[in-house]
Amino acid sequence: MSLTIPETVAARLRDAPYPVLFATVSGAHLYGFESSDSDWDLRGAFVAPTDDVLSLSPGPETHEVIDKHARPELDIVLHEVRKFFRLLLKNNGYVLEQVFSPLIVAGSSALNELRHIARLCISKQHRFHFFHFGCDQWKIATGSDKPTVKGLLYTYRPLMAGIHLMRTGEVESNLVRLNEVFGLPEIDDLIARKIGGEERMRLSPRELDLHRPKIDHLCQTLDEAKSWSRLPEEPQSREALNDLLIRIRKCDWKPVPSCAVLLASEPPE
């Protein structure tokens, strides 16, 4: 999987004030339904200087750049590596999908190891993230006076991704590939409309009502998938993450020349 990233976006990541452990593309580009004006959402982790970590006044745990004047808009969020690892251990589905995003903008020698450890972070408790993510998007869609195609896609995707995760233990964020398993014809239609520029097109109450039973069924299926899942109840990787964090703190990792225009599909060795 590859994708061309604008040099202006790559340059903003290169301007980050701290060494970037990794950065991947999230949002619509990762989900498989980006349109020509979709935002560029970059997510990942950075490594704070040792003095900042040991100081009585530590530096920020998150580096964020939001540029709504850029075209398309740019949204970069990087967490300090310790915070990122803690979020992994708290069953945070956002950071889990960021680690496994195949669209890598900046990598490091630690990324392959982090992905291996992150697999051990996957647990039944991730059901709550994907369930509430989907339900919250559905509430926004149905509670708005202007429900959109984009809102429906952001409802379907986390529910289907959560079911797939509970059933297989594999992180799959791309809705097109997920629907190869689920086979829901309405998904293909919504994606085509979104890519065609209809993401903000208002949906009628009747159209929303047609999707309601399908959303309810996916919610029920996600609960059933959790009940039958062979995933552990809690993450199994605290010690391994702690060991990796200490080695990163000791500079036992190498930044890889990053922000290439062509995104990689696999982390560098």
Side-chain angles (χ1 to χ4, degrees):
M1 184 177 184
S2 62
L3 190 71
T4 301
I5 183 172
E7 172 57 26
T8 52
V9 175
R12 297 296 292 271
L13 185 63
R14 283 196 293 269
D15 290 340
Y18 305 109
V20 176
L21 188 72
F22 80 92
T24 58
V25 177
S26 186
H29 293 89
L30 173 62
Y31 302 157
F33 47 74
E34 76 278 8
S35 49
S36 60
D37 61 346
S38 290
D39 300 353
W40 281 96
D41 298 305
L42 273 55
R43 301 290 186 266
F46 68 88
V47 182
T50 302
D51 286 352
D52 278 9
V53 176
L54 299 177
S55 172
L56 289 173
S57 302
E61 287 192 301
T62 300
H63 169 68
E64 188 170 7
V65 176
I66 298 177
D67 189 347
K68 293 187 176 298
H69 298 291
R71 290 294 177 268
E73 293 182 13
L74 175 64
D75 187 344
I76 299 175
V77 179
L78 306 175
H79 295 308
E80 209 284 319
V81 60
R82 178 166 56 190
K83 177 180 180 180
F84 194 95
F85 285 8
R86 284 176 171 169
L87 289 172
L88 272 175
L89 291 171
K90 291 181 179 178
N91 305 296
N92 185 297
Y94 294 116
V95 297
L96 185 70
E97 291 192 299
Q98 292 159 23
V99 169
F100 288 105
S101 170
L103 302 175
I104 304 168
V105 188
S108 75
S109 59
L111 184 52
N112 271 321
E113 183 176 357
L114 176 57
R115 283 183 163 182
H116 175 74
I117 296 171
R119 290 190 181 279
L120 302 176
C121 290
I122 300 173
S123 77
K124 290 182 178 181
Q125 305 310 313
H126 278 100
R127 170 267 179 198
F128 296 98
H129 165 84
F130 290 99
F131 182 87
H132 289 294
F133 187 3
C135 288
D136 287 346
Q137 291 298 317
W138 179 244
K139 289 177 182 177
I140 292 172
T142 56
S144 171
D145 60 348
K146 295 182 179 180
T148 62
V149 168
K150 180 179 178 179
L152 273 181
L153 286 171
Y154 272 81
T155 300
Y156 275 108
R157 192 208 69 85
L159 295 175
M160 293 165 65
I163 293 167
H164 184 79
L165 185 68
M166 292 297 105
R167 287 174 172 174
T168 69
E170 296 294 326
V171 179
E172 178 55 76
S173 303
N174 186 289
L175 187 57
V176 175
R177 286 199 290 272
L178 285 167
N179 202 40
E180 291 174 358
V181 177
F182 287 83
L184 302 177
E186 55 270 34
I187 297 298
D188 294 334
D189 175 64
L190 289 170
I191 290 175
R193 293 169 65 181
K194 166 71 165 60
I195 294 175
E198 296 184 26
E199 66 174 77
R200 292 182 175 84
M201 180 179 179
R202 184 171 180 175
L203 301 174
S204 68
R206 178 180 177 277
E207 191 168 7
L208 273 183
D209 286 342
L210 292 175
H211 288 277
R212 190 180 304 276
K214 303 179 188 298
I215 297 298
D216 290 342
H217 176 71
L218 287 175
C219 289
Q220 180 180 350
T221 302
L222 178 52
D223 280 340
E224 293 171 352
K226 175 181 179 291
S227 299
W228 289 100
S229 177
R230 295 183 178 181
L231 290 171
E233 292 291 341
E234 298 290 346
Q236 305 294 303
S237 55
R238 184 179 183 85
E239 290 185 7
L241 274 179
N242 188 63
D243 177 71
L244 178 58
L245 176 61
I246 291 172
R247 285 188 281 117
I248 289 172
R249 291 281 186 241
K250 293 179 177 179
C251 299
D252 186 16
W253 67 287
K254 297 178 181 179
V256 173
S258 60
C259 303
V261 174
L262 186 64
L263 295 172
S265 61
E266 294 295 336
E269 299 292 340

